[in-house]
Amino acid sequence: MKIALISLGCSKNLVDSEIMLGFLDKCGFQLTENPALADIVIVNTCAFIKEAKEEAIDTICGFLELKKQGKIKKVIVAGCLAQRYQKELPDLLHDVDGFINPGSIDRVEAVVKAALREQRVFAKAKEKHYFYKDYTPRIPLTPKHFSYVKIADGCNNCCSYCVIPSIRGAYQSRPIESIIKEISHLVQSGVKEVNLISQDSSFYGRDIYKKNSLGILLKEITKIESLRWIRILYMHPKHLDIRLMEVIAHEPKICKYIDLPIQHINDKILELMRRKVTEAKIRKLIYAIRENIPNVVLRTSLIVGFPQETDEIFEQLYNFIKEIEFDRLGVFKYSAEENTQAWRIKGHVPENIKKKRLNKIMLLQRKITAKKNKQLIGREFDVLMEEVKGNNGIGRTQFDAPEVDGVVYVKGGNMRAGDMARVLIEESVFYDLIGEKI
């Protein structure tokens, strides 16, 4: 039996997908990247916002149609959608052959084998997430030169709009020793860049070490030879402190890249969001980051159209972005999710206004990024090559996270995917750069 796995959603979900593939490979199933060649398709789903749920359902229904046509034999649904709607999905998707919630990904073999016996199993666990170890089998879905490493799962922040704590449970950090062993194995296999991920990386260690321990973890990771870049993703503004900034600033292997999702800047909206920060604190933090980490690149994410966001409040957010000039920025339209506190807040914003606000901010950010990129012309950077064709390639600087930020188009021969090339920037095109290998 050939099995294909489709991974939807965030990088944290991707790690879960890699682990499920690892278990399936270990027990002898043949894996394929092409669903058209598969007998069994597993869809690892996201259920964070409306668009993610729609994508998950559309993907599942597409494979169920192929099953109906006899082109595949079984369809199994895993991940956050299975957890969030565990009561409803078995009846709504009655042709699905099995379900796996995030806490039960280690039972993927049992669910597949049950489906082959025509038994429909919903694998559930007491824990809402699977706590993987450094020796847990894993088949990478990323290129050989970079990897995501989940340093924790779950979340304690309980923002009013967010369903993650109800899906993934409370925050749980992995021990430093396990993370170090995992990264050491990855580096031995050729990984040059690790991206540390969790729902709130700046909260790391408070549950098991009783204090903010991300700086301690980072110092241990820097000792691993042959590792070139360490990138930290998803840091809540409430938990990022000056000691962590100093570690990032002084350790050469740590990318000078701060991923700081502020979500909004208006104090009323921040309070309704339960973000536990204010405009004043956000401003102070941004100034401190730029002061303490030379040449830092600052990325943020925003939510527009949150309940009670008036035109005046939105303009405050717009003007703040115009003033601060984030280097990287993403925007989401507020998604009203049932069983969240924000769901019950009065004053919801019409969808067409949300869309206009999102487009207005992204147009502004496009201009900001274009201006900042022009300032890079004539400078040299190390570029990690992602793909190479002939004498040309595409790569990233330390200031660009995989899959979400811009790229560098590189001219020059004698390059391979995974190489670290020194590149002179010659042009900029909106979010991307063009350069030549030195």
Side-chain angles (χ1 to χ4, degrees):
M1 285 289 172
K2 292 183 179 180
I3 299 180
L5 191 150
I6 309 300
S7 190
L8 305 177
C10 66
S11 53
K12 295 176 285 294
N13 223 32
L14 185 72
V15 172
D16 288 351
S17 296
E18 292 177 338
I19 290 169
M20 283 192 282
L21 288 173
F23 282 121
L24 292 168
D25 179 68
K26 187 177 180 180
C27 63
F29 284 101
Q30 187 175 350
L31 306 178
T32 176
E33 295 180 358
N34 187 354
L37 302 177
D39 302 294
I40 302 166
V41 173
I42 301 171
V43 183
N44 192 17
T45 59
C46 176
F48 181 47
I49 56 176
K50 178 183 176 183
E51 287 80 1
K53 292 184 289 185
E54 290 174 347
E55 180 187 24
I57 293 297
D58 289 346
T59 304
I60 294 165
C61 290
F63 286 118
L64 289 177
E65 180 61 29
L66 292 178
K67 177 187 172 184
K68 185 178 179 181
Q69 297 171 11
K71 295 180 179 179
I72 57 177
K73 293 180 173 63
K74 304 293 179 183
V75 177
I76 293 170
V77 173
C80 294
L81 192 77
Q83 172 67 28
R84 187 173 179 188
Y85 299 106
Q86 56 187 284
K87 294 180 180 179
E88 298 89 348
L89 281 189
D91 292 332
L92 290 174
L93 300 173
H94 51 82
D95 288 332
V96 169
D97 300 283
F99 298 88
I100 306 167
N101 73 8
S104 301
I105 60 176
D106 58 330
R107 294 180 58 194
V108 60
E109 175 192 359
V111 175
V112 169
K113 288 183 175 179
L116 293 173
R117 295 192 302 268
E118 305 301 327
Q119 297 175 347
R120 196 181 193 220
V121 172
F122 197 135
K124 302 176 184 178
K126 291 182 180 179
E127 295 291 337
K128 291 184 177 180
H129 57 258
Y130 175 73
F131 202 61
Y132 83 102
K133 310 293 194 299
D134 54 276
Y135 51 81
T136 301
R138 187 172 164 190
I139 301 293
L141 293 172
T142 54
K144 291 182 178 180
H145 52 274
F146 81 84
S147 182
Y148 295 104
V149 173
K150 196 186 293 189
I151 62 173
D153 211 335
C155 188
N156 288 2
N157 291 322
C158 298
C159 300
S160 67
Y161 52 83
C162 186
V163 297
I164 295 299
S166 64
I167 295 175
R168 292 278 179 170
Y171 196 94
Q172 187 174 11
S173 302
R174 290 177 59 203
I176 289 176
E177 295 78 11
S178 178
I179 296 170
I180 296 301
K181 287 179 182 178
E182 179 189 4
I183 295 176
S184 297
H185 296 325
L186 291 170
V187 171
Q188 289 172 10
S189 70
V191 167
K192 294 182 178 179
E193 172 192 3
V194 292
N195 296 271
L196 308 182
I197 56 174
S198 71
Q199 284 303 132
D200 178 5
S201 294
S202 50
F203 194 77
Y204 173 79
R206 290 198 181 187
D207 56 325
I208 57 176
Y209 301 121
K210 309 307 176 186
K211 62 180 181 179
N212 189 331
S213 304
L214 182 58
I216 299 171
L217 172 64
L218 289 169
K219 287 182 179 181
E220 291 300 313
I221 297 174
T222 61
K223 298 175 184 177
I224 300 174
E225 295 183 6
S226 300
L227 178 62
R228 294 293 299 272
W229 288 350
I230 306 162
R231 188 183 310 279
I232 315 155
L233 299 176
Y234 318 116
M235 289 189 280
H236 194 294
K238 179 176 173 56
H239 304 132
L240 177 56
D241 57 32
I242 189 68
R243 288 174 297 178
L244 181 56
M245 294 179 209
E246 290 172 350
V247 173
I248 295 170
H250 295 127
E251 294 289 350
K253 288 185 178 182
I254 302 175
C255 296
K256 307 309 179 248
Y257 179 99
I258 299 294
D259 181 13
L260 187 78
I262 65 168
Q263 309 302 7
H264 215 282
I265 199 59
N266 176 267
D267 284 344
K268 176 183 177 182
I269 298 299
L270 289 169
E271 184 177 1
L272 289 172
M273 288 180 168
R274 296 192 65 192
R275 291 291 290 170
K276 302 169 187 173
V277 289
T278 62
E279 176 186 1
K281 289 180 180 179
I282 291 173
R283 283 182 177 276
K284 184 177 180 180
L285 179 60
I286 290 172
Y287 297 148
I289 290 170
R290 287 178 166 167
E291 181 180 352
N292 288 281
I293 309 175
N295 301 314
V296 69
V297 158
L298 195 55
R299 178 180 180 84
T300 196
S301 60
L302 309 171
I303 297 174
V304 294
F306 193 83
Q308 299 187 26
E309 184 190 64
T310 62
D311 289 341
E312 292 77 16
I313 289 176
F314 171 74
E315 285 303 314
Q316 180 188 351
L317 175 63
Y318 181 88
N319 290 330
F320 177 78
I321 301 305
K322 191 174 182 179
E323 172 197 347
I324 295 297
E325 293 191 337
F326 288 95
D327 303 274
R328 313 279 185 263
L329 184 146
V331 188
F332 297 91
K333 294 182 295 181
Y334 167 72
S335 179
E337 299 299 320
E338 70 275 13
N339 299 321
T340 61
Q341 290 186 333
W343 171 269
R344 296 184 287 273
I345 298 175
K346 295 180 180 179
H348 281 245
V349 177
E351 197 67 24
N352 64 320
I353 294 178
K354 293 181 193 176
K355 187 174 181 180
K356 287 180 180 178
R357 291 175 180 175
L358 182 147
N359 291 338
K360 185 174 181 178
I361 284 188
M362 287 311 300
L363 181 60
L364 170 64
Q365 184 60 34
R366 186 172 181 174
K367 294 176 181 177
I368 292 170
T369 302
K371 182 182 78 171
K372 285 178 173 283
N373 277 353
K374 284 182 180 179
Q375 296 170 356
L376 302 179
I377 295 174
R379 295 180 59 186
E380 297 177 13
F381 294 96
D382 288 330
V383 174
L384 182 59
M385 301 307 301
E386 299 275 32
E387 55 183 276
V388 176
K389 293 183 180 179
N391 290 329
N392 299 308
I394 301 174
R396 292 179 291 107
T397 69
Q398 66 163 300
F399 307 113
D400 299 291
E403 301 173 326
V404 295
D405 294 326
V407 297
V408 184
Y409 295 94
V410 182
K411 299 173 288 183
N414 195 25
M415 296 182 296
R416 298 174 301 174
D419 283 352
M420 193 73 76
R422 191 69 177 172
V423 176
L424 174 67
I425 304 302
E426 298 176 331
E427 300 177 58
S428 66
V429 184
F430 297 115
Y431 295 108
D432 301 322
L433 299 169
I434 300 172
E436 185 165 3
K437 180 188 171 188
I438 299 172

